[in-house]
Amino acid sequence: LYLDTTYSHPKHNFVAQDAAIESIASQVEQLFTERHVSTLVLLSCYSIGKEKVLWECSRRTNRTVYVNERKHKMLQCIQGHKGVEKSSSIIDRCTQNENETNIHVVPMGLCGEMWPYFQPNYDECAKYAEKLEGTKYDRIVAFMPTGWADATNWNKKNAVSKRRVDLDQVQKREGDEKSNRHIDVEIRLMSYSEHSTFPELCSFVEYVRPRKVIPTVFSGEKEFAAIEGRFRDMIDSKRAKQMFVNSIKVNDKKRAAGTNSTTESKVSKGEDECSPEVACMGLARRKKKNGDDLD
């Protein structure tokens, strides 16, 4: 069984995907009920993935979602699957007009870095909002849905991070260019992934009971072995042993076939097929007959 082992460590036990989607969408919906403040919502995404989050946020708020041209082309590629998964038609709820909506999709790294621990990027969020024409936002709330949200205690403690950003300082404006504006930036880490959690992987392996689990995501030989070990008690050991025995039998047959082939070859060349001892005795007899030295 070739297994997606992205989250193959016991510490990766985040909430179910449906629960994560519900949490993000309800928070976005709540933000837009606060009429006294103009809010820009940023949804962090990779090139592909998290369409379910975009779909539910759009549906719950009855708003379109802004995506750039590159992301729009990506979403065109998956719309043919809307009969299987409704969120695959998210492109129908998207716009490429950044001023049409206050829900924007941004690259995953814009709002913060996750390695080696969560580091929010308040200034980049503020710069993004400031370059938009039209609405001048008072607040930015960015969501970063990722399975690494709960990976460390640091990430858990800093899952909601806030800072008031001086736009003049960020944009390096001086003198008459100053606007004396600030913007409140809040970045929320959300436990969400398209990959399976460790308990989900265990449940799957226990159900399938393969002869062997082959990790597909690992950093090196040491981690490969460690991952194999975590699933060792869940595999079908009887079948695994039988497979091992069968492989030995196959190798024995191959060796036997190779020996027979060599013998036949020697016979066809007129060579004697005998043990080293017999060969030495024959050589001794020939030497004695010819009067040769036996040493």
Side-chain angles (χ1 to χ4, degrees), residues 5 8 10-11 30 48 51 88 91 96 103 124 142 150 159 175 179 195 212 222 225 227-228 238 261 268 294:
T5 48
S8 57
K11 69 180 179 181
Q30 177 62 34
I48 201 71
E51 290 78 24
S88 295
I91 195 169
Q96 289 183 271
I103 302 178
E124 287 303 312
D150 293 339
S179 62
H195 303 276
K212 183 179 180 64
K222 185 177 180 180
I227 295 171
E228 276 190 315
K238 184 177 180 180
S261 176
S268 67
L294 294 178

Side-chain angles (χ1 to χ4, degrees), residues 35 106 123 212 257 260 266:
R35 304 294 182 184
V106 295
D123 289 356
K212 183 179 180 64
N260 292 336
K266 288 184 176 180

Side-chain angles (χ1 to χ4, degrees), residues 1 12 16 20 32 45 94 116 121 165 173-174 195 206-207 219 238 241 253 258 262 274 292:
L1 173 65
H12 297 303
F32 293 140
C45 294
C94 291
N121 199 334
V165 177
R173 291 190 289 245
E174 298 179 353
H195 303 276
E206 287 175 340
Y207 177 78
S219 60
K238 184 177 180 180
K241 290 175 183 176
K253 288 180 179 179
T262 303
C274 59
D292 295 335

Side-chain angles (χ1 to χ4, degrees), residues 51-147:
E51 290 78 24
K52 295 176 184 176
V53 173
L54 309 185
W55 172 273
E56 192 60 19
C57 288
S58 175
R59 189 190 70 80
R60 294 276 286 269
T61 61
N62 197 30
R63 298 168 191 249
T64 55
V65 177
Y66 166 75
V67 295
N68 61 25
E69 184 180 1
R70 184 173 183 273
K71 182 68 174 179
H72 194 268
K73 289 180 179 179
M74 290 283 189
L75 296 178
Q76 285 178 326
C77 297
I78 65 170
Q79 61 180 333
H81 302 284
K82 58 186 177 183
V84 178
E85 168 54 54
K86 61 184 179 181
S87 65
S88 295
S89 61
I90 181 61
I91 195 169
D92 297 336
R93 290 177 172 268
C94 291
T95 177
Q96 289 183 271
N97 181 354
E98 59 188 19
N99 296 311
E100 183 181 313
T101 179
N102 49 357
I103 302 178
H104 287 212
V105 172
V106 295
M108 197 67 183
L110 185 140
C111 301
E113 299 293 334
M114 294 304 301
W115 179 260
Y117 53 84
F118 174 49
Q119 303 163 75
N121 199 334
Y122 305 104
D123 289 356
E124 287 303 312
C125 291
K127 288 178 183 178
Y128 180 89
E130 187 69 356
K131 74 178 180 61
L132 299 175
E133 298 178 359
T135 306
K136 293 299 181 183
Y137 294 101
D138 304 310
R139 177 177 65 175
I140 300 170
V141 180
F143 292 85
M144 292 185 66
T146 173

